[in-house]
Every structure is written in C-alpha cells, then in structure tokens.
Amino acid sequence: MPKKPLNPGEHQELGAVLAGIRNELLARGVQVASAYARTGPNGAAARRLTAAVNALDDARAELDRQFFREFPETATPQTYYPGHDAAAVVLRGDLQRAIMASPEA
C-alpha cells in the first residue's frame, strides 16, 4: 500500500514544530556549553546537542526539498524556516505543569 504524503497544512505544522524544537535545542546547547567545559568528557553533552541541531537541520532541509517537489506552486522557504516568532513551542502537559510549579518559575 503506498504511503500518503504530507499535505501543505501538515508541512506547515511540522515546519513550525521542528523550528521550535531547533530553537530549544540550540538554547539548551548554549546553556550546557556555558556550564561545562567544551572539550573532554564534560563537553560531550554540548557536542551531542550540537550534533542534534545539525541532524535536525539536515532533516528540515530534506523536508523543505520534498515540499517544493510535491507542491511547487504553494511551497515557500518559510514553511521549514519560519521566523523566530512563527516557530512553535511544544511542551508536554506534565513538563509544563512541573515547570510552572517550580519555585524558580
């Protein structure tokens, strides 16, 4: 059975979510790199977060190319590369409640 490709709306939503995830990973990577050494064993977490951002960027680029192949008449670069304000912020309900209940929040 052939798979059903994403429609333009699904590409829009996915692009916004992936952009939001990238923004969060990037910010957390800076946070970790500022707290620990950048080299040696203590730098492993920051290097892996950088690698995760790079892998996410590669996936976004491929999805962007796919979107332009499937919908050349409606595809725009802003789908997978929206401005910072258009990126979606996604938090699971439990995590969001835990953050809101934190005395530091």
Side-chain angles (χ1 to χ4, degrees), residues 14-31:
L14 182 57
V17 168
L18 292 179
I21 291 169
R22 183 194 191 277
N23 292 345
E24 186 66 22
L25 280 175
L26 196 58
R28 297 304 179 160
V30 169
Q31 178 185 17

Side-chain angles (χ1 to χ4, degrees), residues 64-84:
D64 185 58
R65 285 189 289 273
Q66 184 69 32
F67 187 38
F68 272 88
R69 283 191 299 268
E70 292 173 351
F71 303 99
E73 66 285 349
T74 59
T76 66
Q78 291 77 22
T79 300
Y80 283 97
Y81 302 98
H84 189 73

Side-chain angles (χ1 to χ4, degrees), residues 10 16-17 26 43-44 54 56 58 62 67 73 75 83 88-89 91 93 98 102 105:
E10 290 169 325
V17 168
L26 196 58
N54 292 336
L56 186 57
D58 291 345
E62 186 55 43
F67 187 38
E73 66 285 349
V89 177
L91 289 176
S102 169

